[in-house]
Amino acid sequence: MINTNPSNSMRFRSKIVMTAAFSLLFGAVAANFFKISVLDNKKYQDMANDQHFGSISISAHRGTIYDSRGITLAKSATVYKIFIDPSIFREELESLQKRIDKRNADKANGTYTPVYDDEGKEINVLPESAEEFKNKAAAFIALKLNITAEKVKKAMDAEGRYMEFKVQTEKPVADEIINYFYDMGFASVGSVEDTKRYYPQNDLAASVIGFTTGNIAYGVESSYDKYLSGVDGRTVSAKDSNGNELPYRYSKTFEPKDGDDVYLTIDREIQYILEKHLKEMSDEHSVKNRSCAILMNPKTGAILGMATYPSFDLNDPFEVTSEALFNRIFYEKDIDDPKKKDIEEYTPEARERQWKNKCISERYEPGSVFKIITAASVVEEKAIDFDTWSHVCNGVEYLQDGDRKLPIACHSVDTGGHGPVSFQEALTKSCNPAFIALGQALGMEKFQYYFNAFGFREQTGIDLPYEVNGDLPKLGDGPNDMNHIDLAEASFGQCETVTPLELITACSAVVNGGYLLQPYVVDKVVDSDGNIVLNNERTVRRQVISEETSKTMANALRNVVSLNTAGNVDIKGFAIGGKSGTSQRFSAIKQNVAQEYGKENENLNEYGASYLCFTPSDDPELILLVLADMPDKQNQQYYGSKCAVPCAQEILTDVLRYLDKSPEYDENELKNLDKKVPLLKGASIDAAIKTIEDMGVRYEKIGNGIEVVEQSPQTGTAISKDGCIYLYTEKGNTYEPVTVPDLSYYTPESANDVLTGLGLNYVAKNSLATQEGAIVKSQSIEPYSIVPKGTTIEIEFQAQSFND
């Protein structure tokens, strides 16, 4: 029988709808419960823990940074955070006041019994009031932590369970503060281990090591932070049902995991040599825009030394150490008469500049050093016949520039040019017109190709932050794209900009077989168990030129030095290849005077003086680049050959001596080799004379004795092949005094004549004694000093004629 009652039917449908709705609701609740209890369990567990636990971070000890020989450059030491639990402190003050009230009552009743130590001094003496103790405690903490008493009291009166007085407190001070409160029975003031970064070498390699503080990080401290930083620990304390932290005795400490140690490829002693001579050059030539130097192993890409001058103290990095930094900023901002407010406004920018590593973070026009790259590209492409090519230099090359001819001068313009030059002569004499012709032979597309191939439009990939890359007008038809004038200027290093690191890396590829490498400053990373977790090795980015081209270029650059020792680093016994450069710093001056070579713009010009060299020339193990950015222009001393070369000479000489590299003399050097004076004192006169004659040097006998009682020079001293040894044979008739002359600006010949006439010996510090036009730059013994006859004076010569 069919139910036709409408009300029954309606009730039935309602039940179905309600059942479905409850089913959906239950499903949703069940699904959400599953999500909370299973899928998001950790999230909600952490939220629950946050409701029941509070924590204090314990800083991990940051890993140590060492040089390549294991000498500490950066380390962390244990210091302490000093904190107070204000809630417990107030409870303890109340307890103290009760003890004071009881003491006062006992004294009033005559029942107070003081306690004395062995020396009869009363102990456990209470203050007059809890408020007095609070005030004295605040003053004590303020004194010890060098903060204000108001700051201390504010922490004491704060709400909550944890307030810091100060972080990075030394242990003796921390102990003194904790004991101060312990003696009064207070447990509310405590300490937690923290770490502090120290740099034992202060400013040495500052731009490489870098520092980290807050959100500021530079150098290795930044790029290897994930290894150095470690994992912080925590002290976790429980909370009551109202969310208030329980006293710190209800806490658990999770120890931090210390960071890994980092070992650099940089050698501290080599770094010191770079910085020492870089400073001397910068001071002597009043360099305006900082100087830098890089010493690298061209076979591996490992950086042995990388310096920027002026540097800064890593222990106080916010102190601006150089007035030149401000002067440069004021020049760029057109501030001619800076006031105190200007200094304050631009101090942050000056800090940023001093922190940045000039070797990787600043571009400059490379000048004639870039001729190495142009020449290598031409040789690789066989764009000329290497053996027969020549170009006639008249001192000026004229290029059509619209309706006018643009003159591009060679440094030989004042002498009418170099005349006909071969490929080798073009490189040796650093002839700009010849290199314009080489650039044209290579062509615009190939020039761009090799500019890219040698890595000038990309970062080198060095393991340091804030690296930039070079630039050159691109191919195209636009007004800013490369044209034939750009190609001409770029061929001798004047249109492009590069970083010092890009340049030395590219030049390494020229002489190491053609391989462009990735430079690096970190050798390895080692964890606390001594396991190597990272090991940097030679990384080839690509091969740019053939090994045959590389050998040709290494030999050509060796000839640059041997055929022109006046303008290059030349060290006896070492085969060195090199190239100097002097560029106009168009990208760094207010007015672009790139197309103007007239004297009217000379006051606007600034220059970059640089030098690159490598040794041994046939299988390079060391390659060095020195840059003086904007040296003083007085007396024409801004050339690379006159500014950067002497600095490179000193650096390489000291480095080779430090590395104990043995000289290998060629035939000509052997003929002119200095002689070491043997021990002759105590020998018979006949034996001494025979020894000297076997050496091939002169001698002079003084006295009528039969035994040598004194000699000059002393044993181990060097003398030239034309030198003289003086033999004294009678006691009391020794060491005839001689006044040392002032040899400034003497030629090698005249210096030799004067010293020989006075009975003095000399040795040349460099090989320029055989160079035409060389003059004395310095002497090892001050003029007018009184010395024994026969004394050896070391003389350094300098070139007069070569510019680049």
Side-chain angles (χ1 to χ4, degrees):
M1 181 178 181
I2 298 175
N3 184 4
T4 58
N5 189 332
S7 59
N8 291 339
S9 178
M10 186 177 296
R11 283 196 297 272
F12 180 74
R13 286 196 298 271
S14 297
K15 288 180 180 179
I16 292 175
V17 170
M18 291 178 65
T19 300
F22 278 116
S23 297
L24 289 172
L25 180 61
F26 178 79
V29 170
N32 198 41
F33 177 79
F34 178 79
K35 183 175 184 294
I36 292 172
S37 62
V38 179
L39 300 181
D40 293 338
N41 176 267
K42 187 175 188 309
K43 171 184 173 183
Y44 289 100
Q45 182 67 47
D46 290 344
M47 291 175 63
N49 286 343
D50 286 343
Q51 295 296 320
H52 293 89
F53 297 95
S55 64
I56 305 171
S57 174
I58 303 175
S59 299
H61 277 264
R62 195 168 178 82
T64 301
I65 299 176
Y66 298 98
D67 84 334
S68 61
R69 296 175 183 258
I71 296 172
T72 301
L73 301 177
K75 65 178 181 178
S76 291
T78 299
V79 288
Y80 294 84
K81 297 176 184 177
I82 308 300
F83 66 86
I84 187 171
D85 181 332
S87 179
I88 297 297
F89 179 70
R90 286 188 287 272
E91 293 176 5
E92 290 174 336
L93 283 178
E94 292 176 2
S95 176
L96 175 61
Q97 187 60 52
K98 291 178 181 178
R99 289 159 55 199
I100 293 172
D101 291 342
K102 183 177 185 304
R103 178 206 60 187
N104 293 341
D106 289 344
K107 282 186 175 182
N109 296 329
T111 58
Y112 177 71
T113 305
V115 180
Y116 298 96
D117 61 17
D118 294 339
E119 297 178 356
K121 183 178 179 181
E122 185 178 355
I123 59 176
N124 300 327
V125 178
L126 297 176
E128 289 299 317
S129 67
E131 188 65 23
E132 177 190 279
F133 172 75
K134 178 181 177 182
N135 291 333
K136 286 185 176 180
F140 177 78
I141 293 174
L143 176 65
K144 294 298 178 182
L145 299 182
N146 195 27
I147 57 178
T148 64
E150 288 71 20
K151 179 179 179 179
V152 177
K153 288 183 178 180
K154 186 176 180 180
M156 290 174 169
D157 296 336
E159 297 298 325
R161 307 303 300 261
Y162 180 84
M163 291 294 294
E164 288 180 355
F165 290 131
K166 191 174 183 179
V167 298
Q168 296 194 343
T169 303
E170 302 293 341
K171 188 176 189 304
V173 175
D175 289 345
E176 198 171 353
I177 291 172
I178 302 306
N179 290 336
Y180 181 90
F181 284 89
Y182 178 81
D183 290 343
M184 290 299 298
F186 278 55
S188 52
V189 175
S191 65
V192 174
E193 277 194 16
D194 196 4
T195 61
K196 182 177 181 179
R197 204 66 166 158
Y198 290 96
Y199 300 93
Q201 312 299 326
N202 298 314
D203 61 350
L204 190 76
S207 62
V208 176
I209 299 168
F211 66 96
T212 176
T213 175
N215 60 351
I216 302 173
Y218 284 87
V220 171
E221 292 277 30
S222 172
S223 55
Y224 283 82
D225 181 67
K226 69 177 182 179
Y227 295 102
L228 289 163
S229 59
V231 180
D232 289 348
R234 304 194 80 78
T235 295
V236 181
S237 57
K239 294 181 179 180
D240 63 21
S241 59
N242 296 317
N244 297 316
E245 289 187 20
L246 297 174
Y248 282 92
R249 58 181 175 272
Y250 301 108
S251 64
K252 183 176 181 180
T253 298
F254 298 89
E255 296 297 333
K257 180 183 181 300
D258 292 342
D260 300 328
D261 295 334
V262 169
Y263 288 79
L264 303 185
T265 58
I266 287 176
D267 184 303
R268 183 188 67 168
E269 295 306 312
I270 291 176
Q271 183 71 23
Y272 172 76
I273 290 169
L274 260 65
E275 295 191 12
K276 174 179 181 287
H277 295 302
L278 207 58
K279 179 183 186 304
E280 292 169 351
M281 177 190 72
S282 301
D283 292 346
E284 179 181 353
H285 294 277
S286 302
V287 177
K288 303 182 190 71
N289 199 33
R290 302 201 295 170
S291 301
C292 65
I294 306 170
L295 184 70
M296 187 165 81
N297 183 334
K299 293 181 178 180
T300 65
I303 303 294
L304 308 179
M306 177 181 281
T308 299
Y309 181 82
S311 187
F312 62 95
D313 188 350
L314 287 168
N315 293 303
D316 189 14
F318 290 90
E319 176 70 21
V320 179
T321 60
S322 173
E323 186 179 343
L325 289 167
F326 282 110
N327 292 340
R328 188 67 201 155
I329 292 171
F330 295 147
Y331 169 85
E332 294 169 2
K333 306 295 183 183
D334 288 319
I335 301 174
D336 297 326
D337 184 22
K339 308 298 183 187
K340 183 178 179 181
K341 67 177 183 63
D342 297 314
I343 296 174
E344 292 174 351
E345 179 180 354
Y346 291 107
T347 291
E349 184 172 344
R351 287 172 180 155
E352 286 281 348
R353 292 195 184 195
Q354 81 169 358
W355 294 337
K356 285 190 176 180
N357 186 336
K358 186 177 181 71
C359 298
I360 66 173
S361 298
E362 293 183 18
R363 290 180 282 259
Y364 76 109
E365 293 84 352
S368 292
V369 175
F370 196 84
K371 290 172 181 173
I372 296 173
I373 306 301
T374 303
S377 304
V378 168
V379 173
E380 178 68 12
E381 281 298 312
K382 297 180 174 56
I384 63 167
D385 187 326
F386 182 77
D387 296 318
T388 63
W389 180 90
S390 69
H391 181 81
V392 178
C393 169
N394 296 311
V396 181
E397 194 79 15
Y398 291 93
L399 298 179
Q400 197 67 38
D401 182 24
D403 296 332
R404 70 183 183 119
K405 285 188 175 181
L406 174 69
I408 299 181
C410 184
H411 64 84
S412 64
V413 62
D414 293 337
T415 59
H418 292 115
V421 292
S422 65
F423 177 87
Q424 180 64 64
E425 289 171 331
L427 195 59
T428 302
K429 296 179 179 181
S430 199
C431 178
N432 287 349
F435 267 85
I436 291 175
L438 289 172
Q440 291 169 341
L442 185 62
M444 204 174 292
E445 289 188 4
K446 285 296 183 181
F447 191 94
Q448 290 273 352
Y449 169 80
Y450 281 101
F451 188 81
N452 294 339
F454 276 109
F456 291 111
R457 276 204 178 99
E458 64 187 81
Q459 296 180 3
T460 67
I462 191 171
D463 45 349
L464 287 172
Y466 308 116
E467 184 182 10
V468 300
N469 54 271
D471 196 19
L472 175 73
K474 294 181 173 63
L475 289 173
D477 298 324
N480 297 321
D481 293 328
M482 192 177 210
N483 56 42
H484 69 290
I485 294 174
D486 294 332
L487 175 62
E489 292 178 339
S491 66
F492 57 84
Q494 200 55 71
C495 182
E496 61 275 78
T497 56
V498 303
T499 69
L501 183 62
E502 282 182 323
L503 185 59
I504 194 173
T505 304
C507 290
S508 293
V510 171
V511 300
N512 71 5
Y515 300 97
L516 187 69
L517 305 179
Q518 179 175 309
Y520 56 98
V521 296
V522 169
D523 176 40
K524 60 186 177 182
V525 178
V526 180
D527 67 16
S528 57
D529 296 323
N531 300 311
I532 296 177
V533 297
L534 176 70
N535 191 31
N536 287 327
E537 297 178 333
R538 179 177 186 262
T539 301
V540 177
R541 294 154 67 190
R542 54 185 167 270
Q543 186 170 7
V544 184
I545 58 175
S546 67
E547 293 192 5
E548 181 183 359
T549 296
S550 179
K551 288 180 181 178
T552 298
M553 284 303 304
N555 183 61
L557 291 167
R558 170 58 185 153
N559 290 337
V560 167
V561 175
S562 61
L563 296 174
N564 180 24
T565 53
N568 291 280
V569 168
D570 186 50
I571 303 171
K572 294 178 182 179
F574 294 94
I576 298 170
K579 184 75 190 76
S580 60
T582 306
S583 63
Q584 291 175 288
R585 293 286 281 109
F586 296 136
S587 63
I589 59 178
K590 293 180 186 177
Q591 177 180 330
N592 189 339
V593 292
Q595 309 303 326
E596 302 292 340
Y597 286 84
K599 295 295 183 184
E600 66 273 14
N601 285 318
E602 184 60 30
N603 64 323
L604 294 174
N605 283 344
E606 293 290 354
Y607 298 91
S610 60
Y611 186 71
L612 181 133
C613 59
F614 56 93
T615 190
S617 59
D618 60 344
D619 188 21
E621 296 176 355
L622 299 172
I623 188 167
L624 170 68
L625 176 66
V626 174
L627 167 64
D629 197 359
M630 301 184 188
D632 189 81
K633 293 177 285 188
Q634 290 185 357
N635 303 319
Q636 301 288 299
Q637 292 297 304
Y638 58 83
Y639 288 97
S641 57
K642 295 179 178 177
C643 180
V645 167
C647 178
Q649 173 94 20
E650 297 289 348
I651 289 173
L652 201 55
T653 299
D654 287 354
V655 168
L656 290 170
R657 185 183 298 119
Y658 168 68
L659 295 176
D660 200 24
K661 296 291 185 180
S662 300
E664 296 181 5
Y665 300 103
D666 60 28
E667 185 176 344
N668 183 58
E669 287 174 328
L670 285 171
K671 289 180 182 178
N672 296 283
L673 203 59
D674 296 332
K675 310 289 186 178
K676 286 286 186 182
V677 177
L679 175 61
L680 301 170
K681 182 178 177 181
S684 69
I685 189 65
D686 292 337
I689 290 173
K690 185 178 185 310
T691 299
I692 294 172
E693 288 176 341
D694 290 343
M695 291 172 58
V697 298
R698 297 181 296 113
Y699 72 91
E700 183 176 321
K701 174 186 171 185
I702 301 172
N704 298 314
I706 61 172
E707 182 181 312
V708 179
V709 296
E710 286 295 348
Q711 67 180 79
S712 183
Q714 294 297 312
T715 304
T717 305
I719 62 174
S720 69
K721 65 181 181 63
D722 299 322
C724 181
I725 299 176
Y726 295 85
L727 304 174
Y728 298 89
T729 63
E730 296 178 0
K731 291 185 178 180
N733 186 21
T734 59
Y735 295 148
E736 181 179 342
V738 177
T739 301
V740 175
D742 185 350
L743 300 171
S744 300
Y745 305 108
Y746 276 43
T747 64
E749 296 80 7
S750 57
N752 181 58
D753 292 343
V754 169
L755 293 175
T756 301
L758 292 171
L760 295 172
N761 289 296
Y762 90 91
V763 292
K765 192 174 182 180
N766 49 21
S767 297
L768 291 180
T770 60
Q771 180 73 32
E772 183 178 351
I775 58 173
V776 174
K777 178 184 179 183
S778 65
Q779 58 191 81
S780 61
I781 300 178
E782 290 292 322
Y784 314 117
S785 301
I786 306 298
V787 298
K789 190 174 185 178
T791 296
T792 297
I793 300 174
E794 186 179 52
I795 297 176
E796 181 180 6
F797 292 95
Q798 66 181 2
Q800 284 184 296
S801 57
F802 184 76
N803 294 333
D804 43 70

